[in-house]
Amino acid sequence: MRNVILQDWMTLDGVVQAPGDPNEDTSGGFQHGGWSLRYFDDVAMKWASESVAAAGGYLLGRRTYEVFAAHWPNASEEEQALAGPLNTRPKYVASTTLTEPLGWQNSTVLQGDVAEAVAALKQEDGGDLLVIGSPRLVRTLVEHDLVDEFRVMIDPVVVGGGKRLFRDDGALRPLRLLDSQVTTTGAIIATYAPGEA
């Protein structure tokens, strides 16, 4: 059985929209894209690289897939620690608009109900599935109790609005801390698992 592991960059006010580039996702009028770059140090790079390298495959939402597919196949030499696994391992994309064949190698669209498709993937043999970015997909997976581990880098910045990782649905979801560390830039990297209610 495979685990679903979430890895995301998050502001102190819970926003995950466009951490890496000013033009990554301006939907909803978001103007603070690239907010995470100043907090990315060697500790953060090691954390990101180890998670990507350890994954058996990746779960991506449509928008994240499109951003990644445009970048990673043409990644620079210094980005190869991330690009290698991302380019060669299976990618499962949650989308109602994309159709196969997808242009990025080893990418397939999840068929039918996303939660059911991911639950079926979890039952297969193989390495864990890493969800990167993809807030809409994450919210669906959380709602259906399909996330086994939450890995977040919480940056010391507030952006005042944007796409958040968790819904405002009134649900209580206790978590337990598995690991944490502080980067040289003051960001907190924390790993949580679902806890007891």
Side-chain angles (χ1 to χ4, degrees):
M1 185 163 162
R2 312 164 91 175
N3 288 323
V4 169
I5 299 169
L6 157 76
Q7 179 170 316
D8 235 320
W9 289 258
M10 185 167 59
T11 65
L12 188 59
D13 55 340
V15 174
V16 294
Q17 185 170 353
D21 186 87
N23 299 312
E24 183 178 333
D25 179 3
T26 58
S27 63
F30 190 70
Q31 298 178 4
H32 302 296
W35 50 264
S36 186
L37 296 177
R38 73 178 73 173
Y39 304 108
F40 208 77
D41 65 357
D42 289 343
V43 174
M45 184 61 186
K46 182 175 185 285
W47 169 73
S49 298
E50 286 176 353
S51 290
V52 167
Y58 310 97
L59 292 168
L60 305 170
R62 182 202 43 91
R63 186 181 297 271
T64 301
Y65 168 81
E66 289 175 340
V67 169
F68 279 22
H71 177 78
W72 291 111
N74 307 305
S76 65
E77 191 59 40
E78 48 279 352
E79 294 176 307
Q80 289 307 306
L82 293 171
L86 286 168
N87 285 328
T88 57
R89 295 189 187 151
K91 292 159 285 289
Y92 305 96
V93 185
S95 175
T96 57
T97 57
L98 295 178
T99 57
E100 294 185 355
L102 296 176
W104 193 14
Q105 71 180 26
N106 297 325
S107 297
T108 56
V109 175
L110 293 171
Q111 300 298 318
D113 179 80
V114 170
E116 290 176 8
V118 172
L121 283 172
K122 286 183 68 163
Q123 297 303 313
E124 294 178 359
D125 291 331
D128 292 338
L129 299 167
L130 186 66
V131 187
I132 306 171
S134 312
R136 187 173 171 194
L137 171 60
V138 168
R139 288 191 294 267
T140 298
L141 299 177
V142 168
E143 190 176 290
H144 290 88
D145 297 319
L146 291 169
V147 178
D148 300 289
E149 195 170 285
F150 298 84
R151 297 176 184 169
V152 291
M153 180 169 153
I154 306 164
D155 291 339
V157 63
V158 174
V159 295
K163 294 177 184 173
R164 298 182 190 282
L165 197 56
F166 302 104
R167 291 188 199 278
D168 292 329
D169 60 3
L172 179 66
R173 294 184 175 91
L175 302 174
R176 57 188 169 86
L177 183 66
L178 300 179
D179 185 50
S180 67
Q181 59 183 315
V182 179
T183 71
T184 62
T185 62
I188 297 170
I189 295 173
T191 302
Y192 298 93
E196 297 296 322

